[in-house]
Amino acid sequence: MRYLETFSTGYGALPPRANPATDAARLSLNGTWRFRLTPTADTPADFADPAFSDSGWDEIAVPSHWPLQRRDGSWGNPIYTNVRYPIPVDPPYVPTENPTGDHRLTFDLPGGWPGGDALLRFEGIDSCGRIWLNGTELGVTFGSRLPSEFAVGHLLRPTGNVLAVRVHQWSAGTYVEDQDMWWLPGIFRDVTLLARPDGGLTDVRVHAGYDHRTGLGTLRVDTVEGAVLTCPELGLSAAPAGFAIELPVTPWTAETPHLYRVEVATGAERAVVAVGFRTVVIEDGLFKVNGRAVLFRGVNRHEFDPDHGRVVSEELMRTDLVLMKQHNINAVRASHYPPHPRFLDLCDELGMWVIDECDLETHGFGENDWRRNPTADPAWRDALVDRAVRMVARDRNHPSIVMWSLGNEAGVGDNLGHMAAAIRALDDTRPLHYEGDRECRHTDVYSRMYADHAEVELIGRGEEPPLDDPELDARRRAMPFLQCEYAHAMGNGPGGLHEYQQLFERYDRLHGGFVWEWIDHGIRSRTADGREFHAYGGDFGEELHDGNFICDGLVFPDRTPSPGLLEYKKVIEPVRITEAGPGAFTVANRHDFADLTGLTLCWTYEIGGIEHAAGELPCPQLAAGESATVALPVAEVPGAGGGALTESAAAGESWWTLRAVLAADTAWAGAGHEIAWGQWPAVDASVVNGVEAAGSALDEAEAGFGAPRAARFDERGRLMELGGIGLVAPRIDLWRAPTDNDTHALAAQWRHAGLHRVHERTIDVIADRDALLVRTRVAPAATDAGLLVTYRWSEAGDVLRLQLDITPDGVWTVPLPRLGLRLGLPAGYDQVEWFGRGPGEGYADTRLATRVGRFTSTVDAMQTPYVYPQENGSRLDVRWANVTDATGAGLRIDGRSPFQFTARRWTSEQLDAARHLTDLVPGAHVWVNVDLAQHGIGSNSCGPAVLPGHELHAAPAAFTVVFTPLR
Ligand code: GAL
């Protein structure tokens, strides 16, 4: 059997170990190498010979994925499949057409390089690498996201060393690396030469526990005989390693990531390890760190760079973590493989709970009824255990890692048990996770993905349906629960986050979850005419692919936060600020460990969206879990019980906004960074509505329908012009470009029902002195379901009022995407100001991140650039909106009740037809939707549909809108 088609672990590598930073010489071999791509695995390995001339070869960057190094396809292309293998399922065999990249580097040792032992370390080769140094074969690696080290001291020469690496895209390893991501071969992580001094530190194993009852930490470092520990901060000076030392410490938590720099030294080598003291236990059915239950506000993170695939720079790793911290995220599941080792250093430093997951997924066997699944086939046992051991050996010194995961979606089988046993033997201080076995045979926590709210609630109560085996059932029922994946963040959404969070906070057994997923893996590409877009499955002509399912993250490929991330930040905010009756508010500290030192409260009092007073308050110093009620600064605020209600105050709603911000800079955000906020109306809503209506809209008594008019209607009673602005007449609109969360089930029903092709039949048009009455029936072909609509137009001066009455007719069996009015203005009316929720988009079930205020934007800036075009950009609870040109001329739209507002340069139909953002071409109009409502968002692209409370159904409806020309 050929080496790439065996069930083996590879050969030649040294036993796995941690690789701490030491003062021993090291040489990065990253850089420009020589490269040759061949279409099969069998080209003679002539290039391993140092005498071979590679002068005719191309150059390639290492680390890299070769298909991304040449974007013309001449080095192959990325392939995206989620579950299905892009090769026949025939383990351990792989196709004869097996892109094979020969990599070659000639290097000299730097001056002063010590002789003696040395290691060549590869942090990651996808999927199988065969390695030679100076003509001698070192071995073969499997385990793309795991390191391999080879002893090379005896082979090194001062100059002209030739390192040759042959990398196969497909290998037996492919079968156990079926993660939902791009298939991208290459030497994609660092290559380093490490000098190993005689008497140096071979492996370093740190044990650092914390006893929350005594406040004492226990430190033990296992390494070579004779090593000593030094840490001035801990009062340690040349203490012998290998013994447990008890001493008072500041513990490490993700919220308070206190690290001690401990030097571990022998006469020959000195390492500095970052030690965090913490103890993880499962106790009373709860997942506890340092004695306290922890709530994961997590995300699943793949490694991804839009230009370089899974080659991620340290800067990008830090960017990810900083963004997460800034958005209140406290946990990362390293889905679905051990991340680049630097990422874990940064998690230790910045503070993040991490589930480190083994590089194992065999999901595609599920397409074949799990026949020959590697986790159940004894032939794979050693290879899978090897993967688990390499992960733990590399990563166990990181305080941030609080759980090991056996892998993802790999079915069930005995090999999982063997992996679990091997992990426990190496490290019994962290619980084990694996979602794929519902019976939790080998795990310490109960984990699910995409369980809907109702199921999560049952689990929270401990009332989930029993397993067949009573013993396993009792075991599982005693376990803490988490959702290792939930709230599929594909496109617009996810909806329903808030309802999940309420459950997580209500039931102790529920330890939160990890949103799927952090990043959209769109690959930055260009159209033929040079415009940039992000490519997804199918864009590279793959014969099998899963389309844009690869773009389901909380940040866009360029790391711009999506509205979903802003919503998540608000939903999981660790400080909650709520109204507490007149003149007061409550601050609740929902951290698990941190107190509120370091936060300041900023308040504003706004009337009609205009700030009338603002200031700062000290934040009450609350320990984790505590709350306190604080008085509002009423005396300083006009109209809020303090000064007199001024005339302008009378003209608008007044709102309190309280924000908790960082008082000083931290490692991940500057002073002033907002952590949490609360907002509530300062005046009784009934007063507000009266004030608003009087201040802005049309006085009914004056309204009529006489000449001369600012408005021009056609013979069918359609509004063609107002105040000199030519309009595409307002008409009833039911359609939205389906979101990814609509797409799977609902959009098909909508299309079947014809909601994307409704027409309006005029029943009659009656004009008299009071009003213009237009009655229509709005319906698609082929169905008897429709809406009976009455438009009642009246005017006073320039001001035009529309009262709409809508009654469903026939039988409606599907919810409506939206219900409202659509009108078109000339393209120059592209500036928007509104009073309502903002600044960002919101929908019925994704509204928490928006606040009431007065906002200005442009039509272009109001679009959310989801990689796959879909409904976006709606603003909620809009009281009024001005749509104007650069001079301020245009249209003001007032709602008698708040409306949902959207403006864009293309129609919903054009948005629906687009496949990439570059398909969207501005036209002659700005299209404005004034909606009574839209259907919610949900997360049905992989998870529950819109919750019943956020659905929109055809029902009798009335709403009133007033249009005022602005000049
Ligand atoms: C899960 C899987 C993830 C991803 C997600 C859907 O089943 O674990 O890797 O595929 O579904 O985006």
Side-chain angles (χ1 to χ4, degrees), residues 80 82-83 179-180 302 333 335-336 361 363 408-409 449-450 485 488 516-517 549 552 941-942:
Y80 168 55
N82 170 6
V83 176
Q179 291 94 341
D180 176 5
H302 266 287
R333 172 169 175 239
S335 55
H336 299 303
E361 174 160 341
H363 205 174
N408 185 58
E409 296 182 321
M449 48 173 78
Y450 310 108
E485 294 177 28
H488 200 246
W516 185 267
E517 67 177 307
F549 214 63
D552 53 1
S941 52
C942 186

Side-chain angles (χ1 to χ4, degrees), residues 310-454:
R310 283 184 292 279
V311 181
V312 287
S313 66
E314 180 167 341
E315 192 192 344
L316 194 56
M317 298 176 210
R318 192 178 278 276
T319 299
D320 276 348
L321 280 171
V322 162
L323 271 174
M324 288 175 193
K325 294 288 287 187
Q326 290 179 348
H327 291 85
N328 296 333
I329 287 163
N330 69 0
V332 169
R333 172 169 175 239
S335 55
H336 299 303
Y337 41 80
H340 189 286
R342 269 308 280 161
F343 182 76
L344 296 170
D345 294 338
L346 296 174
C347 289
D348 296 342
E349 177 191 318
L350 294 169
M352 209 36 87
W353 308 119
V354 177
I355 302 181
D356 197 5
E357 189 153 272
C358 193
D359 194 357
L360 168 64
E361 174 160 341
T362 65
H363 205 174
F365 283 83
E367 302 284 294
N368 301 280
D369 282 333
W370 296 104
R371 286 185 297 277
R372 306 186 62 198
N373 181 20
T375 48
D377 179 347
W380 285 96
R381 173 176 170 169
D382 290 349
L384 300 197
V385 169
D386 173 68
R387 284 169 184 254
V389 166
R390 282 156 72 196
M391 167 179 73
V392 176
R394 191 194 76 166
D395 291 344
R396 61 187 167 179
N397 292 340
H398 290 282
S400 53
I401 298 173
V402 291
M403 257 184 276
W404 301 115
S405 175
L406 299 177
N408 185 58
E409 296 182 321
V412 289
D414 286 349
N415 293 337
L416 293 166
H418 298 306
M419 292 171 76
I423 292 176
R424 291 190 206 277
L426 286 174
D427 174 34
D428 60 0
T429 69
R430 293 170 174 97
L432 278 196
H433 169 273
Y434 175 62
E435 187 273 348
D437 176 12
R438 292 291 157 81
E439 299 185 319
C440 296
R441 252 179 257 260
H442 311 295
T443 68
D444 302 305
V445 295
Y446 181 22
S447 174
R448 290 271 290 115
M449 48 173 78
Y450 310 108
D452 63 19
H453 301 79

Side-chain angles (χ1 to χ4, degrees), residues 20-39:
T22 81
D23 61 354
R26 56 174 65 203
L27 175 66
S28 169
L29 300 180
N30 294 351
T32 305
W33 294 35
R34 294 286 185 158
F35 181 72
R36 167 181 75 180
L37 182 65
T38 57

Side-chain angles (χ1 to χ4, degrees), residues 3 36 41-49 52 102 130 132 135 164 166:
Y3 64 88
R36 167 181 75 180
D42 292 331
T43 320
D46 49 2
F47 73 112
D49 183 348
F52 178 90
D102 291 334
R130 188 173 180 195
W132 297 262
R166 169 161 281 188

